[in-house]
Amino acid sequence: MEFSSKLLERAVNEMSQLPGIGKRTALRLVLHMLRQPKEQTVILSEALQAMRNDVKFCKSCYNISDQDLCEICASPNRNETIVCIVEDIKDVMAIENTSSFKGLYHVLGGKISPMDGIGPHDLNIESLVSKVKEGKINELIFALSSTMEGDTTNFYIYKQIQEYQIFTSTIARGISVGDELEYADEITLGRSIVNRIPFESSLKL
Amino acid sequence: MEFSSKLLERAVNEMSQLPGIGKRTALRLVLHMLRQPKEQTVILSEALQAMRNDVKFCKSCYNISDQDLCEICASPNRNETIVCIVEDIKDVMAIENTSSFKGLYHVLGGKISPMDGIGPHDLNIESLVSKVKEGKINELIFALSSTMEGDTTNFYIYKQIQEYQIFTSTIARGISVGDELEYADEITLGRSIVNRIPFESSLKL
């Protein structure tokens, strides 16, 4: 791609560093900014820099927060004895959106993935084990993605905390609401039959 | 979408102002920035601001440029008597990529589109008419998109410059290279038969 302006080229190159943004999309975004008032670009850059420089991670659960302790961990209305283990903050937001969980979270910051060079020590696992060791937690909920890496991470953590004999659970795997049975993969369908629940309890949800 | 941090929320909201970027994509981009070094965000914001504040539009053709006159207009190797009318700078880049045009451009900055509230006076048409009036141009090439708005704009400009009796042309419409004939729309196919060219001249391209 040939640019008639070095400034334009630099802006497009920097934008295209972002994931999923190619050169063409970056050019479209940058040309849009040129059509908007200058203040708009200033506001965007300042918002990004303020976020990058000043955002904190909750010292207890590693959720993103403006304070040392995030709103969820600081809330007196949450059950501190139930902790839900998630991969990243998008998962916290997704579960919070359902309003079905009133415990705390623990954000790992990723999954164990040897292919990507991510080992257990790159994740927030030690602090989770310490919490369990302190005896504050009654139940740990594994809520990672149902992939090889997710299962590996679940199992690694399970092994670490096994000796403390707390109750561990994992989110239900099954047919998604609205899904056609014939298109479900056989592992999901098989598990959903093996782990069937009383019909009456499905009416309560 | 509930955010655990106001800084994060502001960054996501500003990012999602960009065209084609929804809240989810914005969140993904912003979380990616959080995983990158802080300098990366500084570099991006500075590149965007420098571009927005310092980029110029060529005073002759309205292409984006770092100088008052863009590289194309300033080049002694271009034929100043042939001017190609395009909608925006993406079109200049697209035509320049083909290396098949050695004249100058004139960037309108849009198309006449009453539906979007864009009239002739919102575009760089007057300066084009002045250039024609000065007698510097021998040929005007219309290279707008083949849409209702493009055709309207072409016709409006044609009416404005008709009295100066210069040669006007429009880029060829026809079957794209690599296209299957059976999937071509009938207007394109019809035009490509009416405007057929000698077989020998198609071999030269």
Side-chain angles (χ1 to χ4, degrees):
Chain A
M1 217 182 247
E2 287 279 330
F3 291 91
S4 55
S5 151
K6 293 268 171 261
L7 291 164
L8 180 72
E9 183 169 10
R10 204 177 116 219
V12 169
N13 284 342
E14 290 305 326
M15 278 299 264
S16 63
Q17 302 288 316
L18 296 172
I21 308 281
K23 289 261 167 132
R24 265 168 195 269
T25 309
L27 178 62
R28 194 165 50 83
L29 298 177
V30 164
L31 290 180
H32 171 84
M33 286 181 204
L34 272 180
R35 282 190 295 266
Q36 300 293 311
K38 288 187 183 180
E39 298 76 48
Q40 199 60 42
T41 306
V42 175
I43 291 171
L44 171 65
S45 336
E46 284 178 357
L48 292 179
Q49 292 208 38
M51 185 274 304
R52 186 63 189 87
N53 290 326
D54 301 334
V55 102
K56 291 176 181 147
F57 291 92
C58 169
K59 63 181 180 182
S60 172
C61 75
Y62 302 96
N63 190 8
I64 282 177
S65 169
D66 295 335
Q67 270 79 43
D68 283 344
L69 213 58
C70 77
E71 283 177 19
I72 297 172
C73 287
S75 164
N77 302 322
R78 315 280 303 208
N79 183 346
E80 293 175 22
T81 65
I82 305 181
V83 171
C84 181
I85 306 171
V86 293
E87 192 185 324
D88 69 18
I89 77 132
K90 277 182 283 188
D91 302 323
V92 174
M93 290 169 69
I95 297 176
E96 282 297 290
N97 262 342
T98 70
S99 312
S100 61
F101 179 65
K102 290 292 164 215
L104 303 185
Y105 294 92
H106 188 89
V107 182
L108 294 179
K111 289 174 291 195
I112 295 174
S113 173
M115 292 282 281
D116 302 315
I118 302 172
H121 299 291
D122 300 314
L123 306 176
N124 305 318
I125 292 180
E126 268 174 56
S127 55
L128 175 68
V129 175
S130 309
K131 279 191 218 167
V132 173
K133 206 183 277 181
E134 288 166 21
K136 290 177 188 164
I137 301 174
N138 291 336
E139 180 178 354
L140 266 191
I141 305 174
F142 291 106
L144 302 192
S145 308
S146 187
T147 58
M148 180 111 96
E149 288 84 8
D151 289 346
T152 307
T153 312
N154 283 344
F155 193 69
Y156 179 88
I157 297 173
Y158 178 73
K159 279 291 178 192
Q160 299 280 309
I161 54 129
Q162 204 176 13
E163 56 180 307
Y164 306 106
Q165 294 184 335
I166 59 168
F167 181 63
T168 51
S169 60
T170 171
I171 53 170
R173 311 294 183 190
I175 307 294
S176 294
V177 176
D179 261 13
E180 297 272 3
L181 222 65
E182 71 178 296
Y183 300 116
D185 69 289
E186 49 198 75
I187 299 178
T188 302
L189 187 55
R191 282 198 196 182
S192 76
I193 290 176
V194 172
N195 301 318
R196 62 194 178 278
I197 58 166
F199 185 70
E200 286 83 4
S201 51
S202 76
L203 295 176
K204 288 177 203 151
L205 299 175
Chain B
M1 216 182 250
E2 287 279 331
F3 291 92
S4 54
S5 150
K6 292 268 171 261
L7 291 164
L8 181 72
E9 183 170 10
R10 205 177 117 218
V12 168
N13 284 342
E14 290 304 329
M15 277 299 265
S16 63
Q17 302 288 316
L18 296 172
I21 307 279
K23 289 262 167 129
R24 267 169 194 269
T25 309
L27 177 62
R28 196 165 48 84
L29 296 177
V30 164
L31 290 180
H32 171 84
M33 286 180 205
L34 272 180
R35 281 191 296 266
Q36 300 293 310
K38 288 186 183 180
E39 299 75 49
Q40 199 59 43
T41 305
V42 176
I43 291 171
L44 171 65
S45 334
E46 284 179 356
L48 292 178
Q49 292 209 36
M51 185 274 303
R52 186 64 190 86
N53 289 325
D54 300 334
V55 103
K56 291 176 181 147
F57 291 92
C58 170
K59 64 181 181 182
S60 171
C61 75
Y62 301 97
N63 189 8
I64 282 177
S65 170
D66 295 336
Q67 271 78 44
D68 283 344
L69 212 58
C70 78
E71 283 177 20
I72 297 173
C73 288
S75 164
N77 301 322
R78 316 278 307 205
N79 183 346
E80 293 176 22
T81 64
I82 305 181
V83 170
C84 181
I85 306 171
V86 292
E87 191 185 327
D88 69 19
I89 76 130
K90 278 183 281 187
D91 303 323
V92 174
M93 290 169 67
I95 297 176
E96 282 297 289
N97 262 341
T98 69
S99 312
S100 61
F101 180 64
K102 290 293 163 211
L104 303 184
Y105 294 92
H106 187 90
V107 182
L108 294 179
K111 287 173 293 195
I112 295 173
S113 173
M115 293 283 280
D116 303 314
I118 302 173
H121 299 293
D122 300 314
L123 306 177
N124 305 318
I125 292 180
E126 268 174 56
S127 54
L128 175 68
V129 175
S130 309
K131 278 192 220 170
V132 173
K133 207 182 278 181
E134 288 166 22
K136 290 179 189 165
I137 301 175
N138 292 334
E139 179 177 355
L140 267 190
I141 305 174
F142 290 106
L144 302 191
S145 308
S146 187
T147 58
M148 180 110 98
E149 289 84 6
D151 289 345
T152 308
T153 312
N154 283 343
F155 193 69
Y156 179 87
I157 296 173
Y158 178 74
K159 280 290 178 195
Q160 299 280 309
I161 54 133
Q162 206 175 11
E163 56 180 304
Y164 306 106
Q165 293 183 333
I166 59 166
F167 180 65
T168 50
S169 61
T170 172
I171 53 169
R173 312 293 184 190
I175 306 296
S176 295
V177 177
D179 261 14
E180 298 271 3
L181 222 66
E182 72 179 294
Y183 299 117
D185 68 288
E186 50 198 73
I187 299 177
T188 302
L189 187 55
R191 282 199 197 181
S192 76
I193 289 177
V194 173
N195 301 318
R196 62 193 178 279
I197 56 168
F199 184 69
E200 286 84 4
S201 52
S202 76
L203 296 175
K204 288 179 203 149
L205 300 173

